[in-house]
Structures are given as structure tokens and as C-alpha cells.
Amino acid sequence: MPEGSGSRRSTTIGGCTIALDKRSAKSFIRSNDRIRAREIRVIDENGEQLGILAPFEALKIARERGLDLVEVSPNAIPPVCRIQDYGRFLYEKEKSERAAKKKQKIIVVKEVKFSVTVDEHDYQTKKNQAVKFLQGGDKVKASLRFRGRQMAHRDLGYKIINRFIQDVGETGVVEFMPRMEGTILHAIIAPSKRPEGQKPKPPAPPQQPPRPPAPPQAQ
């Protein structure tokens, strides 16, 4: 298939043919003959500065060493290129991106719903559920909907949500204090920053007062 036809095309780098789709072509890293700048700053495979050269001069050096010329900082003036193995460069780049994704923790907001007439058993069940969410690293949205005439007793709703915040205790920290949005009262609690599994330090035992010296025994 000729280059540019269909949704895929290929390019040859370092003697290897690599298939590219249109999306990857847009973010394609320039290398070897694709580098179009008039002059570039060149770093060799050992990290040594070779100075500012014309691309064809740098590419000649790379070819003599059996390596590629890869543009690593295209926005610099002049662009920075490095002599290295292009295939290994892509592998290391992909490896570092995968590692960065693993370190990213996706925060999920999970909701527990209350009502003004919530009974004690239901309240405790939802409170315990919220504590598990927080211990698992998720945020919790506690919400309470007022229905009909219950809007005249919003203080009861605030009392329930404030009690919930207090009962959660050190498991979480309040990110948004209770607020009204229409007929719904809600608050958002984030996980505590304490490392998972770490328990609060027990209070230090009270110090005993020093004992008075024993009286001298009679001779």
C-alpha cells in the first residue's frame, strides 16, 4: 500500500519498517532523515555534548556508530538531538509511561444516602460502609434529600450529616462542609492522609512521681 493511502502507513528507521496509524503519525518523534532543522545541538550515546552541527553531519556520526539520530527536545533553540538506538528509546519511553500510569491513583467519589427519618440501624450500616470506602482510598459524598414538608426541618438534616462527619473521625477529612443544593444537603469527605494500616500512637503512660528516699535506719 503506498504511503499516505488508507488509515496506515509505514516508515523505515534504522533498517526496520514500523507501521504507523494516523494518530501515531501526528505525535511521531522525528529521527534521522526526518529532522528538518538547519542546525541541531547534538548529544552522543554517552551523554557527551558534541556541539551544534548540521543534521547531516550528526546523522553521519550516528551511522558510523551504528545508531540513530533522535530529536529529543524539538522546541529548544536549536533543537536537541541525541545519538542512540531508536528502538530502545521507544521501549524505554513506553516503559516509563506505563510506570507513571501505575503510580497514578484514580480517586472515586462514592455516595451514601440518608433521609431525615433514617433509623439507627440504617445509619450505622451506611456509616460503616463509608468508613470502608475511605480506608480504600475513595472519597465519600454523604447526601440527604428533603422531601415535601421536610424542608421546614433542615436542622434535622444538618444534625444527621454533622453526626456522620464526627463518627467517621480520623478515617477521613472534610473536603466540603455540609451545603444545600436544591432539596439535597451534602458533604464530601476525603480519605485521611495517614498511611494505610498505620494506627494512631497510644498515649504515653503517665509518669510516676519519684519515690522519696527511705529514712535512715537506726543504729
Side-chain angles (χ1 to χ4, degrees):
M1 181 180 295
E3 182 173 333
S5 61
S7 61
R8 299 183 66 86
R9 60 191 180 91
S10 63
T11 183
T12 302
I13 298 174
C16 299
T17 301
I18 302 174
L20 301 171
D21 59 22
K22 289 182 178 180
R23 287 176 297 180
S24 63
K26 291 180 181 179
S27 59
F28 183 65
I29 299 171
R30 286 187 288 268
S31 63
N32 298 332
D33 294 327
R34 290 178 174 270
I35 299 172
R36 302 301 185 190
R38 289 187 177 182
E39 55 183 17
I40 56 176
R41 188 179 302 276
V42 184
I43 303 172
D44 72 7
E45 67 275 22
N46 299 315
E48 298 292 332
Q49 295 271 356
L50 299 186
I52 297 176
L53 303 173
F56 75 89
E57 293 177 324
L59 182 56
K60 181 180 178 182
I61 296 172
R63 295 299 193 203
E64 289 172 351
R65 300 181 184 185
L67 297 171
D68 300 293
L69 184 65
V70 183
E71 190 176 57
V72 295
S73 184
N75 296 325
I77 301 176
V80 179
C81 298
R82 184 168 187 140
I83 295 174
Q84 58 188 325
D85 185 303
Y86 184 73
R88 183 170 183 81
F89 167 75
L90 290 181
Y91 170 77
E92 294 293 342
K93 185 173 183 293
E94 184 180 354
K95 184 179 177 181
S96 63
E97 289 174 353
R98 285 200 306 266
K101 286 182 180 180
K102 287 183 179 179
K103 291 181 180 179
Q104 293 176 348
K105 180 169 179 61
I106 300 175
I107 301 296
V108 178
V109 179
K110 296 189 176 180
E111 186 175 15
V112 289
K113 297 180 179 181
F114 297 95
S115 66
V116 175
T117 57
V118 63
D119 60 49
E120 183 63 22
H121 179 268
D122 192 28
Y123 171 84
Q124 292 295 337
T125 299
K126 292 182 177 180
K127 186 262 293 183
N128 293 336
Q129 190 179 44
V131 168
K132 289 182 180 179
F133 291 153
L134 292 168
Q135 289 174 339
D138 297 322
K139 293 184 181 181
V140 171
K141 177 182 180 181
S143 62
L144 186 150
R145 180 185 293 274
F146 295 95
R147 300 181 184 278
R149 296 181 180 179
Q150 292 176 351
M151 284 293 290
H153 304 283
R154 283 181 288 181
D155 57 317
L156 296 178
Y158 275 94
K159 185 177 180 180
I160 292 170
I161 298 298
N162 285 327
R163 177 193 173 189
F164 170 78
I165 292 172
Q166 186 175 4
D167 288 349
V168 165
E170 295 184 356
T171 309
V173 291
V174 180
E175 192 169 85
F176 291 104
M177 293 297 292
R179 64 177 68 178
M180 287 291 301
E181 288 188 2
T183 60
I184 299 176
L185 172 67
H186 70 88
I188 295 180
I189 302 175
S192 174
K193 293 184 179 180
R194 177 184 298 157
E196 187 176 351
Q198 180 179 332
K199 298 181 179 179
K201 295 181 180 179
Q207 295 182 355
Q208 298 292 335
R211 294 182 179 181
Q217 297 181 354
Q219 298 293 333

